[in-house]
């Protein structure tokens, strides 16, 4: 119980002391608030602008230095006044003893400080003179270095250009294309392009014509299909029956006739290289063969030309021309075979 009472008493005493400190008009607190509220010369209202602009920062620093110097001077002045008053109003026994030695010591210290200050100012002046003297020299050296750097850069560019030129010469050996030759080649290419354009136009026209023909043929095919369907319907309606025995007999007769014709005329082979040509090969003697090539006018039975091979010693040109004019194919074959066999 006693411990709790002591603790409560101490807590109450602490709170009372804290409240008394808060309510007490202390000068240090007022000076702090006054220092914070003090507005320096040239200081802006917003701190952000001051921090952003270097000129404002310099003004702020100069104002603070001026304020601190003024504050220091006031402190020294008040301190000197306080010492002077204490010296005057205090007892002689308690007053500090100021003698000629003290004044001499102060004078010596001031003289030494003045000498040090003068020496520092002299060094500073000498340093400034050295800077003024060396600044043009440094500038000259800088300009020379800059010129040398530019010259080195130009030299490097020249070397690169020469290297690129040598590579181009190696890649494109002589004879090289001149401007006149290139112009002439360009003109030729333009002429060829014009010819190609004309050819493309002709091909396009031909394609258009072919397309029209294909359309017409497609229409014709459709018409023929319709006609075929009608014919097939008629055939189915008439129900025409073909005697297979008669067809077989006709086929045998035709085959026998062909064999007899070949045997009589000694026909070895026959074939058609194209739609309007026919090649016939006959055996004239056991060791010699005769080839007759017949060419007809397309889509007609008109004989256009004939050519005989196998007998170079017999002149059959007149016979061929005569039968071509009269369009007598069988007579031509018979006459040539007769000449070849010596009949």
């Amino acid at each position: 119980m006693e411990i709790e009472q002591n603790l409560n008493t101490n807590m109450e005493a602490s709170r009372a002391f804290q409240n008394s400190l808060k309510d007490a008009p202390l000068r240090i607190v007022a000076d702090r608030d006054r220092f914070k509220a003090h507005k320096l010369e040239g200081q802006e209202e917003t701190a952000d602008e001051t921090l952003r602009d270097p000129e404002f920062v310099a003004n702020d620093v100069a104002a603070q230095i001026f304020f601190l110097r003024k504050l220091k001077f006031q402190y020294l002045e008040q301190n000197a006044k306080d010492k002077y008053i204490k010296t005057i109003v205090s007892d002689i026994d308690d007053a500090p003893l100021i003698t000629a030695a003290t004044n001499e010591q102060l004078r010596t210290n001031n003289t030494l400080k003045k000498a040090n200050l003068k020496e520092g100012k002299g060094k500073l002046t000498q340093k400034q003179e050295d800077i003024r003297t060396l600044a043009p020299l440094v500038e000259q050296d800088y300009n020379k270095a800059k010129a040398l750097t530019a010259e080195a850069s130009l030299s490097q560019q020249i070397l690169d250009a020469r290297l690129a030129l040598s590579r181009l010469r190696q890649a494109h050996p002589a004879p090289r294309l001149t401007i006149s030759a290139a112009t002439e080649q360009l003109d030729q290419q333009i002429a060829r392009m014009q010819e190609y354009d004309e050819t493309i136009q002709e091909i396009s026209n031909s394609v258009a014509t072919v397309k029209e023909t294909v359309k017409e043929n497609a229409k014709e095919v459709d018409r023929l299909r319709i006609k075929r369907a009608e014919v097939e319907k008629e055939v189915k309606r008439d129900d025409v029956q073909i005697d297979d025995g008669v067809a077989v007999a006709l086929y045998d007769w035709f085959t026998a006739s062909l064999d007899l014709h070949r045997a009589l005329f000694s026909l070895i082979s026959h074939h058609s290289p194209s739609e309007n040509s026919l090649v016939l090969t006959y055996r004239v003697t056991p060791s010699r063969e005769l080839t007759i090539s017949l060419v007809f006018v397309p889509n007609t039975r008109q004989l256009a030309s004939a050519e005989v091979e196998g007998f170079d010693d017999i002149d059959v040109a007149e016979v061929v021309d005569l039968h071509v004019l009269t369009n007598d194919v069988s007579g031509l074959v018979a006459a040539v075979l007769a000449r070849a066999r010596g009949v």
Side-chain angles (χ1 to χ4, degrees):
M1 295 295 291
E2 293 179 358
I3 295 173
E4 292 180 358
Q5 290 178 358
N6 292 329
L7 289 174
N8 293 329
T9 304
N10 293 331
M11 289 294 293
E12 291 177 358
S14 299
R15 290 192 185 96
F17 181 71
Q18 185 177 3
N19 294 329
S20 62
L21 285 177
K22 288 181 180 179
D23 298 335
L26 298 177
R27 183 177 177 182
I28 187 171
V29 178
D31 291 340
R32 184 189 64 181
D33 296 336
R34 186 168 58 85
F35 180 76
K36 288 183 178 180
H38 180 73
K39 186 176 181 181
L40 301 176
E41 296 180 358
Q43 184 180 5
E44 298 293 335
E45 293 182 358
T46 57
D48 295 337
E49 295 181 357
T50 304
L51 295 177
R52 283 199 298 267
D53 195 344
E55 185 177 359
F56 291 159
V57 173
N59 294 332
D60 189 12
V61 172
Q64 291 181 4
I65 291 173
F66 176 76
F67 175 74
L68 292 175
R69 285 179 179 176
K70 187 176 180 181
L71 184 62
K72 181 180 178 182
F73 178 76
Q74 291 179 358
Y75 170 75
L76 294 175
E77 184 180 6
Q78 294 296 330
N79 189 19
K81 287 181 180 180
D82 185 61
K83 287 182 179 180
Y84 180 73
I85 292 171
K86 286 181 179 180
T87 302
I88 293 175
V89 301
S90 62
D91 296 335
I92 296 175
D93 296 335
D94 297 333
L97 183 60
I98 298 174
T99 60
T102 304
N103 293 330
E104 184 65 23
Q105 185 179 2
L106 291 174
R107 188 182 63 80
T108 303
N109 292 333
N110 290 333
T111 303
L112 182 60
K113 290 180 180 179
K114 288 180 180 180
N116 293 332
L117 180 60
K118 186 176 182 180
E119 184 180 358
K121 287 182 178 180
K123 290 181 180 180
L124 180 60
T125 304
Q126 184 64 31
K127 183 64 69 176
Q128 291 177 352
E129 291 294 333
D130 293 340
I131 291 173
R132 292 191 185 95
T133 304
L134 294 175
L137 300 177
V138 173
E139 185 177 2
Q140 292 178 2
D141 294 339
Y142 173 75
N143 293 331
K144 289 181 181 179
K146 188 176 181 181
L148 291 174
T149 304
E151 185 177 356
S153 178
L154 291 175
S155 301
Q156 185 64 33
Q157 291 179 2
I158 292 171
L159 292 176
D160 294 340
R162 289 179 178 176
L163 180 60
L165 184 60
S166 62
R167 288 178 178 175
L168 287 175
R169 288 177 178 175
Q170 291 179 359
H172 304 282
R176 299 180 181 87
L177 191 64
T178 60
I179 296 177
S180 58
T183 305
E184 184 178 358
Q185 186 175 359
L186 179 61
D187 295 337
Q188 294 177 359
Q189 290 178 355
I190 292 173
R192 285 200 298 270
M193 290 176 65
Q194 291 177 355
E195 293 177 358
Y196 293 155
D197 290 337
E198 294 176 357
T199 305
I200 291 172
Q201 186 65 31
E202 293 177 358
I203 293 173
S204 300
N205 296 332
S206 301
V207 169
T209 305
V210 170
K211 286 182 178 179
E212 293 295 332
T213 306
V214 169
K215 289 181 180 179
E216 294 177 358
N217 292 334
K219 293 179 181 179
E220 184 67 19
V221 168
D222 293 336
R223 187 182 65 79
L224 292 175
R225 285 178 180 175
I226 295 172
K227 186 176 180 180
R228 178 182 177 181
E230 293 176 355
V231 171
E232 288 179 353
K233 289 180 181 179
E234 291 179 358
V235 169
K236 290 180 180 179
R237 185 175 60 250
D238 295 340
D239 194 14
V240 178
Q241 296 181 356
I242 300 175
D243 190 0
D244 295 337
V246 175
V248 172
L250 290 174
Y251 174 77
D252 294 337
W253 174 81
F254 183 72
T255 304
S257 299
L258 288 177
D259 294 338
L260 179 61
H261 178 78
R262 288 181 179 180
L264 290 175
F265 291 95
S266 300
L267 181 63
I268 299 174
S269 64
H270 63 88
H271 64 278
S272 297
S274 61
E275 294 181 355
N276 61 331
S277 62
L278 178 64
V279 178
L280 303 174
T281 303
Y282 294 92
R283 186 179 300 279
V284 179
T285 62
S287 60
R288 301 184 68 178
E289 295 179 357
L290 178 66
T291 302
I292 301 175
S293 299
L294 304 175
V295 179
F296 298 88
V297 178
N299 299 325
T300 63
R301 294 184 179 182
Q302 179 68 34
L303 183 62
S305 63
E307 184 178 355
V308 179
E309 297 178 356
F311 283 87
D312 298 333
D313 53 348
I314 300 175
D315 187 10
V316 294
E318 295 181 358
V319 176
V320 171
D321 294 338
L322 179 62
H323 287 83
V324 168
L325 291 175
T326 58
N327 194 24
D328 187 3
V329 178
S330 59
L332 173 62
V333 173
V336 171
L337 290 176
R339 288 284 187 93
R341 291 170 179 168
V343 178

